[in-house]
Amino acid sequence: MIASLANSPAFKWYAFAAMAVGTFASVVDHGSVGVALPTIATHFHAPIPSVQWLMIGFAMTIIALLLPMGRLADLIGSKRVYLMGSVVIIAGSIAAGTSTDLAVLIVARILQGAGAAMTQGTGMAIIIGAFPPGERGKAIGLIMTMVGTGAVAGPALGGFLVDAFGWRAVFFATVPMVVASMGMTLAILPGGSDLRRMQSVNQPRFDWLGAFLSSSALLALLLGISNAHRVGWTAPPILAAVAVFVTFLAIFIWWELRYASPMLELRLFRRRNFFLGVTANYMMFMGSSAVLFMTPFYLQNVLGYKPSVAGLAVVPGAMCMATLGPLSGRLSDRFGWRKFTVAGLMLSLLGVAILSRLSSDSSLLHVIPALMMMSSGMGTFYSPNSSSILSAVERESHGVISGLVNLIRNTGNVVSIAVATAIVTATMGSLGYEPSLDAVRNGGTEGVGAAFTSGLRYAFIAMMGSLLVALVLSALPTHREGQARPAPAEAVLRPASQAQED
């Protein structure tokens, strides 16, 4: 049965369906757990900063392990790593749902994060491997659709589950979706080696030292920037974290350039498509992610809207992203990447520019269209940008590079939020108010909302600068798809008709 499915013309859609369920489950889980945090804090009689480690620990674990898990998938097969990751997610979900102590619950979330790191990059690599090279953009766009749909459904499902069954149901709800994805994966995807049949007789070894160095460097960076706004950017713990990051990063670069089978081939950055695509991707998320984090604070604590209204305000933007992702990806397969990455960045830049004009008495008619514009830009940009990055590498490296693309997105999210928070709180402090988002969340003194809004405008202006850099990089001429691959033998991997980047 599996062999007949693998040879079916519709195989790519079967593979996408299997991965789509897992992707949807992962995004829904993130959104629903966020909604459950206040209830969990009440249950364990714990402060919100402690309970927030359910989100922070989960995100940091994913970021730290994405590259190693992507490389592992390239070595032993994406299907195998995806299934192992699914098992880890199920174990973590059950442990979280049965936790009787907050510390145990946080550890269970970290376990879930480890499983998510195994499935995120590999799921993307499996879908891309199932589609022809000439439909790579369409494949990535379809992934964006599932991400956008999950982003809309997550908070809504989480709110329903918490109200109807309690916070534990949020964690158990993930299990049947992940089990369904596993069953479909086992029934549809070929066994043994990876979809792309990448396994060779002389199997490379896994780069354990590279994995340790990259994970440690990323953890140090994330811990530093996540806490800098609270203790100060020049505080000894923050400076120590930065020093650890720089040291481990330098050793990682030295090691990867000398090891025979590196976890990440750093010489890829010499390839024009790869360097421009990766850098623009990071700057895009640096310039966008904090908008979705800060806007709910503004809507609820400055304009006074209920959480339900604030949640609904981001739904149109998420739907725009889910719709435009596959459309942009499909069109970029035919007409080239650059015009769509540039158009997407221009949309996002315009959306953030409109948001930078917010005042303490703006209306939803100011906020929602700007959010829709920014999210539309993200959806238009992401698929062709990811396609351009993957076009610059050999197919046997798609696992680790898919992990890298997800790593860039997640790291950009964290850094964007940290920088925006630092700008907002510093502005509040300079105006004589408590330099903390808690001051806004708790109502604070009179005028704190206006101070927060002033800081928000400065943060959005800084984010516009990041988007402008991404726009300039994306506007630079790139190689024709597949041209960046140096080996003549790789020509068989190119699509039949290649789109010339104008």
Side-chain angles (χ1 to χ4, degrees), residues 174-186:
T174 304
V175 175
M177 290 186 281
V178 177
V179 169
S181 179
M182 286 184 65
M184 295 170 70
T185 301
L186 288 167

Side-chain angles (χ1 to χ4, degrees), residues 122-212:
T122 52
M124 181 176 177
I126 287 172
I127 293 174
I128 292 170
F131 279 72
E135 297 181 3
R136 185 184 293 120
K138 179 169 71 175
I140 299 171
L142 291 168
I143 298 172
M144 287 295 295
T145 298
M146 299 313 302
V147 171
T149 306
V152 174
L157 179 61
F160 167 76
L161 290 173
V162 171
D163 289 341
F165 306 105
W167 63 267
R168 297 182 187 277
V170 167
F171 298 102
F172 290 128
T174 304
V175 175
M177 290 186 281
V178 177
V179 169
S181 179
M182 286 184 65
M184 295 170 70
T185 301
L186 288 167
I188 293 167
L189 302 186
S193 61
D194 183 59
L195 276 173
R196 299 182 295 274
R197 296 174 173 85
M198 298 182 303
Q199 305 304 306
S200 61
V201 176
N202 299 317
Q203 178 78 308
R205 292 180 296 174
F206 184 75
D207 181 10
W208 290 102
L209 181 57
F212 169 76

Side-chain angles (χ1 to χ4, degrees), residues 78-380:
S78 295
K79 175 184 176 180
R80 196 173 301 170
V81 174
Y82 184 85
L83 291 173
M84 290 190 297
S86 298
V87 171
V88 173
I89 290 175
I90 292 171
S93 300
I94 294 173
T98 56
S99 296
T100 56
D101 182 80
L102 181 59
V104 175
L105 181 56
I106 292 173
V107 172
R109 280 294 284 170
I110 291 174
L111 184 62
Q112 281 185 303
M118 300 173 76
T119 59
Q120 278 193 11
T122 52
M124 181 176 177
I126 287 172
I127 293 174
I128 292 170
F131 279 72
E135 297 181 3
R136 185 184 293 120
K138 179 169 71 175
I140 299 171
L142 291 168
I143 298 172
M144 287 295 295
T145 298
M146 299 313 302
V147 171
T149 306
V152 174
L157 179 61
F160 167 76
L161 290 173
V162 171
D163 289 341
F165 306 105
W167 63 267
R168 297 182 187 277
V170 167
F171 298 102
F172 290 128
T174 304
V175 175
M177 290 186 281
V178 177
V179 169
S181 179
M182 286 184 65
M184 295 170 70
T185 301
L186 288 167
I188 293 167
L189 302 186
S193 61
D194 183 59
L195 276 173
R196 299 182 295 274
R197 296 174 173 85
M198 298 182 303
Q199 305 304 306
S200 61
V201 176
N202 299 317
Q203 178 78 308
R205 292 180 296 174
F206 184 75
D207 181 10
W208 290 102
L209 181 57
F212 169 76
L213 291 170
S214 66
S215 299
S216 300
L218 285 167
L219 281 175
L221 173 66
L222 295 173
L223 286 171
I225 63 176
S226 297
N227 293 284
H229 71 278
R230 290 192 302 104
V231 300
W233 288 87
T234 58
I238 304 304
L239 296 177
V242 172
V244 170
F245 166 70
V246 172
T247 301
F248 276 65
L249 178 62
I251 299 173
F252 172 75
I253 293 172
W254 176 84
W255 174 254
E256 294 299 283
L257 291 173
R258 285 159 179 78
Y259 190 60
S261 180
M263 186 180 65
L264 177 63
E265 180 51 76
L266 297 179
R267 294 176 181 84
L268 288 173
F269 285 92
R270 295 176 181 173
R271 303 181 183 181
R272 185 180 183 88
N273 283 21
F274 188 84
F275 173 76
L276 292 177
V278 165
T279 309
N281 189 300
Y282 179 77
M283 299 306 292
M284 168 64 169
F285 283 101
M286 269 285 293
S288 304
S289 300
V291 171
L292 300 177
F293 175 78
M294 288 292 181
T295 301
F297 281 94
Y298 172 76
L299 292 175
Q300 293 180 56
N301 303 114
V302 178
L303 299 187
Y305 288 105
K306 295 180 180 179
S308 58
V309 176
L312 289 173
V314 303
V315 170
M319 296 307 297
C320 289
M321 185 187 300
T323 302
L324 289 174
L327 178 61
S328 172
R330 179 172 298 196
L331 292 174
S332 69
D333 287 332
R334 182 175 180 183
F335 299 109
W337 314 299
R338 189 170 60 166
K339 53 178 66 70
F340 296 98
T341 55
V342 169
L345 286 163
M346 290 178 68
L347 274 173
S348 288
L349 184 59
L350 183 56
V352 177
I354 294 172
L355 290 171
S356 71
R357 306 300 299 170
L358 288 173
S359 66
S360 55
D361 58 356
S362 296
S363 70
L364 281 177
L365 292 178
H366 186 155
V367 177
I368 293 178
L371 288 177
M372 292 176 65
M373 200 170 295
M374 191 207 72
S375 298
S376 296
M378 293 178 71
T380 304

Side-chain angles (χ1 to χ4, degrees), residues 27-39:
V27 180
V28 164
D29 173 79
H30 181 77
S32 59
V33 171
V35 171
L37 289 184
T39 306

